[in-house]
Amino acid sequence: MTATICRTRLPRHVFRTVQLRRCYSSTSSVNLLGKEYPKDSTTNITSAIIDKVGRNLYMNPSHPLGILQTLISSHFRDFNSMTGFSPVVTPARNFDDLGFPADHPGRAATDSYYINRDLMLRTHTSAHEVEVFARGERKWLLSADVYRRDEIDASHYPVFHQMEGARVFSADANGKAELEEDNARLSHHLERSNIVIEDIPHITGTNPRQDMHDPVMAELVAHNLKLSLNSLMLTLFGGRGGMGESDPLRVRWIEAYFPFTTPSYEVEVFFRGKWLEILGCGVVQQQTLDRAGVPDSISWAFGLGLERIAMILFSIPDIRLFWSQDPRFSSQFSAGQITTFKPYSKYPACYKDVSFWLSDAGLHDNDFCDLVRDTAGDLVQDVVLIDSFTHPKTNRSSKCYRINYCSMDRIYVERNTTYRSLSNEEANAVHAQVISNLKDKFGVEIR
């Protein structure tokens, strides 16, 4: 019998006085987007994650993620901008088709959400690369929600949104001419723009071209990628963040490694006084194009996290806010406008510790965080492992986590229709439920 945490669904931004109840379910399937999927021993998707599937925040034109997605799509105006791909994919599509090694940590059940051994929730938009290339798309953008098991803090959330872009060129004289013409156009645009670019060689011994690629074409494609993304950085960050008209946007390129591209790069911008990582990109592994049935071609691709950039541009301090239905959040944003978020929550942090001896099965940090999310939802701002040790005599292992209960939104009190912060007593009740669920699910012994 599987223990499941059940929470009453609440209307809009209202969170009623905390009342969590336990229920037990022996269901043998998972319902996602109206379809039933059988469970097996690999299943680790939680109710908190299932609740988020299909929300599609980036498709709301007045939501910060939707505003940013529209801005990027408008920049690449001649690219086909696609949405609506199901988040349910096979591990082969998510990893194998992109050249992930068999021992890549992203495959682990501690890092990804598995519906069963044959299906999972995509961990990146690249899971659809082969599918889109196979359609014959030559210039495309794809936006979608992605899912990764992760820690709990202000910048990490198990559901976030990515946007991916790619451009394909023929690996012949026509493709070479197209690249040379586009590179000249983009170079002219950037030379007239207020931007300073700290570049690196397109191809090096530590960031090589692929053996099957013509050296000249490889250089041209990598250069086109850089020019295209430098132009995007201007659109996103130029003249924002308090920069004066005379202040140039500073962009720098760094060598990187990704399983699905080579050469690979990361792009950073200097914004509000510090360097910030914005996206990853590179020349697509030829095996990806081969699997898609796109011969005699070469392509670049990039991928970015919408939340990461939106938090920077809109000055949003906590990633949980993107999921808020509090009108004090949503009313601050309008389609087509990047505005500075004005914080409205002054509710204090409430720290609770839980210390326990592990069972023989152990406990991964992401398992603990998922249990906390499933029990307390977005009432938790962060979770920190503050102590871990092994007893020298008994060889038993112990962990101690500190949970910060801090509500972003108001607690609605039904009796007198007033709003207030989460009380210490309510935090204690939620924390007690976390402890109870921790003992039931993982067999720990509370210290």
Side-chain angles (χ1 to χ4, degrees), residues 83-116:
T83 60
F85 288 75
S86 171
V88 178
V89 299
T90 63
R93 177 172 288 183
N94 197 75
F95 299 118
D96 300 335
D97 287 355
L98 299 168
F100 277 70
D103 60 350
H104 193 278
R107 295 177 181 264
T110 52
D111 281 33
S112 299
Y113 288 105
Y114 284 87
I115 300 167
N116 51 48

Side-chain angles (χ1 to χ4, degrees), residues 65 152 163 233 244 291 342 350:
L65 300 182
I152 299 178
M163 196 165 183
M233 294 304 101
R291 285 193 178 98
K342 297 178 177 60
C350 184

Side-chain angles (χ1 to χ4, degrees), residues 6 15 37 41 78 99 101 144 146 172 192 249 289 298 343 373 419 440:
C6 293
F15 189 96
Y37 297 91
S41 60
D78 57 344
V146 299
D172 56 18
R192 294 180 301 156
L249 175 67
L289 293 174
I298 187 170
R373 284 192 180 99
Y419 293 92
D440 288 352

Side-chain angles (χ1 to χ4, degrees), residues 155-421:
S155 61
H156 291 86
Y157 205 82
V159 188
F160 59 105
H161 301 81
Q162 285 186 341
M163 196 165 183
E164 179 154 346
R167 183 171 181 181
V168 183
F169 301 89
S170 298
D172 56 18
N174 290 331
K176 182 173 180 288
E178 181 184 359
L179 279 162
E180 289 173 339
E181 179 182 353
D182 200 51
N183 288 356
R185 177 186 65 83
L186 288 166
S187 295
H188 181 64
H189 165 63
L190 292 168
E191 286 167 1
R192 294 180 301 156
S193 302
N194 197 16
I195 184 171
V196 174
I197 302 164
E198 297 181 21
D199 203 357
I200 56 175
H202 306 328
I203 297 172
T204 66
T206 54
N207 204 24
R209 68 176 174 86
Q210 297 170 50
D211 292 340
M212 72 290 295
H213 288 165
D214 174 78
V216 173
M217 287 294 291
E219 286 274 353
L220 286 171
V221 168
H223 192 201
N224 187 261
L225 166 65
K226 288 183 175 182
L227 293 170
S228 300
L229 294 183
N230 286 332
S231 177
L232 175 63
M233 294 304 101
L234 264 176
T235 295
L236 295 179
F237 297 99
R240 307 188 196 277
M243 285 191 293
E245 292 185 4
S246 61
D247 297 326
L249 175 67
R250 295 170 60 191
V251 178
R252 71 181 179 189
W253 288 77
I254 299 170
E255 285 190 6
Y257 166 77
F258 304 111
F260 32 83
T261 56
T262 185
S264 302
Y265 317 94
E266 289 179 347
V267 181
E268 296 184 347
V269 298
F270 192 77
F271 196 72
R272 296 194 177 114
K274 58 183 178 181
W275 286 102
L276 302 170
E277 179 187 335
I278 303 301
L279 58 80
C281 58
V283 178
V284 175
Q285 290 281 7
Q286 199 61 35
Q287 64 180 0
T288 300
L289 293 174
D290 292 343
R291 285 193 178 98
V294 184
D296 305 318
S297 298
I298 187 170
S299 174
W300 56 250
F302 73 88
L304 55 83
L306 290 175
E307 278 88 348
R308 177 194 293 271
I309 298 177
M311 291 178 79
I312 296 168
L313 289 177
F314 293 91
S315 299
I316 294 173
D318 193 312
I319 197 169
R320 293 177 298 165
L321 282 164
F322 290 113
W323 296 91
S324 174
Q325 296 182 31
D326 191 320
R328 293 174 301 168
F329 177 79
S330 57
S331 65
Q332 294 192 36
F333 308 105
S334 300
Q337 299 181 29
I338 293 180
T339 53
T340 300
F341 171 68
K342 297 178 177 60
Y344 53 79
S345 175
K346 299 181 176 64
Y347 301 139
C350 184
Y351 295 98
K352 307 289 181 184
D353 293 353
V354 56
S355 180
F356 51 86
W357 295 107
L358 298 173
S359 69
D360 292 340
L363 176 64
H364 193 278
D365 289 344
N366 286 346
D367 288 325
F368 181 79
C369 288
D370 263 354
L371 182 139
V372 171
R373 284 192 180 99
D374 226 30
T375 307
D378 287 344
L379 288 179
V380 175
Q381 180 170 302
D382 56 69
V383 172
V384 179
L385 178 66
I386 61 174
D387 186 52
S388 178
F389 81 100
T390 300
H391 194 284
K393 293 184 178 179
T394 65
N395 208 35
R396 297 183 71 189
S397 295
S398 170
K399 287 187 175 184
C400 181
Y401 291 93
R402 177 159 294 163
I403 304 174
N404 176 9
Y405 296 93
C406 185
S407 175
M408 301 174 299
D409 297 333
R410 299 172 290 192
I411 306 301
Y412 178 65
V413 184
E414 244 179 327
R415 290 188 299 275
N416 53 14
T417 63
T418 60
Y419 293 92
R420 57 170 173 74
S421 61

